[in-house]
Amino acid sequence: MNFDLEIKNLGKIKEGSFKIRPITVLAGPNGTGKSFLTKSLYSVLSAVNSTSPDTYLRRSLAEARFLLDVISEKMSYKGKNDSMELDGFQFELSELEFEIDQQDDLTLKEYLEYLQEFSINFSKLPNSIAAYIDSFRIKHKKFSSVSDEFSELIGVLEQIRVSADNGIGDYSQILSENIKTELKENFQVERLSDLVSFGSNESDLELDDLASIGFGKDGVRFQIEHEFVDNVSTLSNVVFYESPAYWKVRDALVESGQLRRYGVNRAVGARKKFLTGVPKYFYDLDIMLRGKSMDSAEPEFQLIADELKEELGGELVYRKGEFVFREKDSKVEMPKNLLSLGMTNLGVIHSLLNNNIISKGSFLIIDEPETNLHPEWQVLLMKLLIKLSENEVTVVIATHSTDMLKAVEVMLPKSHGSEGIDAVLSVHYLNGNERFGFVSSNPIEQLAEARMELLSPYEELLFS
């Protein structure tokens, strides 16, 4: 997925232009804005990828069916005709849900057009239910036994009608809420204004001419074209992976995360959300790894996974609620806490491949992939990331490793040649608010420039 990204007033980035290509390298020292960029990008893409325009509609239809079940169970003196009527309403709602399920492949524009047809088909149901309620309103005991539930049902049916008529309005509201949540929980901040810098009121992200997103003290505002929604919605997965240190203490983090993020206020019985100190993308990834893909990894990805498994001498597997390391060609299992951080780092990446989480059409953001890896394994990992990019995975790498940059510099021309390399590779050097300009326009040569800039402290030591 190729696009150009413009950023303003975000963390250490006052203003910057970034080309997102099959391999995008973000180099630079610590504290220069690399993580602000990657976390913001993940938050937006993840929100759009996971936000369905029919969220409210599905939720309301499910609630209406639930209420009909409650009415059927609670109704006093329920007769055969009552059962037939209620079963008929349930059937109509089921048909509408089934009909919505068949629209999964529609573009956003096509889906919004479909809602007009849905609205016509649905309009008869509230009238039928209202007529049924009126038919036994005079039977006071029967009516009083379920009057509250019928009143609630009428309200839910009105929500369904409004959702169908509102279309893009509902989608915009849900998406705004989801972007806000993603940003807060991935950055672990209480206020979006904490992300805004340089005296501005909001941070701005422009993705080509298709999406404009701003966030700050006034919340989230955006303008997104249907084409952008369709492109991001078709991504098979949006993945953010960073420090293996989280995975060393994963069990405790998941336990505390579940309890603290969705804690129960016992005094009022209300659910509350809490910041945990651990970014949401860690929990997102953990949920993916604990799930079981219905499809096995595609051959190209299985080969990459097998190569990594061979190097590791085994694999991380999820068993009985925890991750363990299973040695290759044996049943010997080792708790992950006994693994080195480097083994854990590559082990998680192997699991992402083996479980078909990283697959064709994925968007992978990997922050400091060199963490805890010796040079040989840094080269191995970069070799695998290049192979992923050749198989329709968009790979964004934030790094300050000169070894990783050198690996790309050497390996990429061998696999792609020197022609058209700028369509495959994009290189950026972040240096805080100070703009860094490359001398060369060739991305391979820019890798060398970025590497030399990162090595400049050694040069100063030598010649000081």
Side-chain angles (χ1 to χ4, degrees):
M1 183 182 180
N2 291 2
F3 57 89
D4 292 349
L5 174 65
E6 300 279 340
I7 292 179
K8 292 180 181 178
N9 307 313
L10 176 65
K12 293 286 187 177
I13 305 173
K14 181 173 178 60
E15 190 170 354
S17 301
F18 304 89
K19 293 182 178 180
I20 307 300
R21 298 296 181 261
I23 294 185
T24 302
V25 177
L26 307 171
N30 291 323
T32 54
K34 299 188 301 297
S35 292
F36 267 85
L37 192 161
T38 53
K39 289 179 183 180
S40 297
L41 183 58
Y42 174 79
S43 296
V44 170
L45 294 181
S46 180
V48 176
N49 181 254
S50 61
T51 301
S52 172
D54 59 16
T55 299
Y56 282 170
L57 203 53
R58 288 179 183 272
R59 189 184 301 163
S60 297
L61 284 167
E63 190 175 353
R65 292 190 62 195
F66 171 76
L67 285 168
L68 281 171
D69 282 336
V70 173
I71 289 168
S72 183
E73 290 177 11
K74 286 187 64 178
M75 184 180 287
S76 301
Y77 309 105
K78 184 175 70 175
K80 185 177 180 180
N81 184 63
D82 296 313
S83 296
M84 289 177 61
E85 291 279 9
L86 294 173
D87 288 346
F89 299 145
Q90 280 280 21
F91 178 77
E92 288 186 55
L93 286 170
S94 297
E95 286 287 290
L96 289 169
E97 284 183 313
F98 178 78
E99 188 181 300
I100 290 174
D101 288 340
Q102 306 312 302
Q103 317 307 319
D104 282 348
D105 294 331
L106 296 183
T107 65
L108 179 59
K109 183 178 180 181
E110 289 169 340
Y111 179 78
L112 294 174
E113 290 171 352
Y114 155 74
L115 284 182
Q116 297 175 12
E117 177 186 336
F118 174 91
S119 187
I120 294 170
N121 294 337
F122 172 76
S123 62
K124 302 170 187 175
L125 183 60
N127 294 334
S128 299
I129 291 178
Y132 168 66
I133 294 172
D134 287 340
S135 70
F136 72 92
R137 195 180 291 271
I138 57 173
K139 301 174 181 178
H140 298 294
K141 285 189 176 181
K142 178 187 287 191
F143 181 74
S144 62
S145 67
V146 289
S147 61
D148 290 342
E149 286 76 12
F150 266 127
S151 178
E152 192 173 349
L153 177 61
I154 293 299
V156 171
L157 294 175
E158 177 61 16
Q159 288 175 14
I160 295 172
R161 184 194 65 76
V162 170
S163 287
D165 291 344
N166 202 20
I168 194 65
D170 265 10
Y171 175 73
S172 297
Q173 183 179 343
I174 301 165
L175 184 56
S176 179
E177 292 171 0
N178 288 351
I179 292 175
K180 186 176 181 180
T181 297
E182 289 281 342
L183 287 166
K184 283 187 173 183
E185 295 198 0
N186 285 317
F187 281 98
Q188 287 292 293
V189 294
E190 294 180 32
R191 300 172 299 275
L192 292 182
S193 57
D194 292 340
L195 308 179
V196 184
S197 53
F198 302 102
S200 178
N201 290 323
E202 67 176 18
S203 299
D204 295 290
L205 276 68
E206 303 277 340
L207 295 88
D208 283 339
D209 296 325
L210 299 177
S212 174
I213 300 162
F215 49 86
K217 65 179 181 180
D218 295 326
V220 175
R221 60 102 188 138
F222 62 86
Q223 184 174 354
I224 295 179
E225 299 295 325
H226 291 178
E227 183 183 345
F228 179 77
V229 173
D230 295 336
N231 290 341
V232 177
S233 297
T234 56
L235 293 172
S236 57
N237 273 313
V238 181
V239 176
F240 191 112
Y241 178 60
E242 66 164 352
S243 173
Y246 285 136
W247 296 89
K248 294 290 284 186
V249 292
R250 173 252 173 204
D251 299 339
L253 289 176
V254 171
E255 173 92 12
S256 64
Q258 288 172 342
L259 292 176
R260 291 170 63 197
R261 287 171 74 215
Y262 301 105
V264 177
N265 184 332
R266 295 172 187 267
V268 296
R271 287 170 59 130
K272 286 188 175 181
K273 280 193 174 185
F274 293 84
L275 297 176
T276 66
V278 179
K280 178 178 177 290
Y281 53 74
F282 167 78
Y283 294 105
D284 291 343
L285 202 53
D286 181 73
I287 290 168
M288 289 184 193
L289 284 170
R290 282 186 282 141
K292 265 293 184 186
S293 173
M294 295 177 65
D295 301 313
S296 56
E298 293 159 315
E300 303 92 328
F301 291 84
Q302 193 60 59
L303 284 172
I304 299 172
D306 291 345
E307 183 178 349
L308 197 47
K309 181 178 178 180
E310 187 69 28
E311 183 66 35
L312 290 169
E315 61 184 324
L316 274 179
V317 294
Y318 185 72
R319 186 182 58 77
K320 296 182 180 178
E322 63 180 14
F323 285 101
V324 297
F325 184 79
R326 180 178 295 158
E327 291 184 0
K328 184 170 67 74
D329 302 326
S330 79
K331 294 184 179 179
V332 176
E333 293 182 347
M334 180 191 306
K336 71 176 185 320
N337 292 336
L338 299 181
L339 295 178
S340 70
L341 283 168
M343 289 277 285
T344 304
N345 192 349
L346 292 186
V348 171
I349 292 172
H350 172 268
S351 294
L352 293 172
L353 291 164
N354 203 45
N355 291 330
N356 204 31
I357 295 167
I358 298 176
S359 58
K360 280 187 180 178
S362 293
F363 198 105
L364 171 63
I365 299 172
I366 184 163
D367 198 357
E368 298 185 10
E370 69 271 14
T371 303
N372 303 111
L373 299 182
H374 59 82
E376 183 181 349
W377 274 10
Q378 289 187 41
V379 172
L380 169 67
L381 178 55
M382 187 53 72
K383 176 184 173 184
L384 300 180
L385 292 175
I386 289 173
K387 285 184 178 180
L388 292 178
S389 73
E390 294 169 346
N391 286 281
E392 300 178 34
V393 177
T394 302
V395 181
V396 176
I397 305 160
T399 183
H400 39 65
S401 165
T402 56
D403 292 328
M404 295 293 275
L405 296 181
K406 186 63 178 179
V408 183
E409 184 184 341
V410 172
M411 289 187 289
L412 201 60
K414 290 181 179 179
S415 59
H416 287 83
S418 57
E419 294 297 320
I421 199 75
D422 55 347
V424 177
L425 173 66
S426 173
V427 181
H428 304 273
Y429 192 92
L430 283 77
N431 202 22
N433 190 28
E434 299 176 21
R435 296 299 299 271
F436 180 87
F438 289 111
V439 174
S440 174
S441 60
N442 183 299
I444 294 296
E445 294 174 3
Q446 289 174 349
L447 285 169
E449 289 185 51
R451 188 162 49 82
M452 293 307 296
E453 187 67 20
L454 286 171
L455 288 171
S456 60
Y458 294 103
E459 186 178 356
E460 291 174 13
L461 282 174
L462 285 172
F463 295 104
S464 62

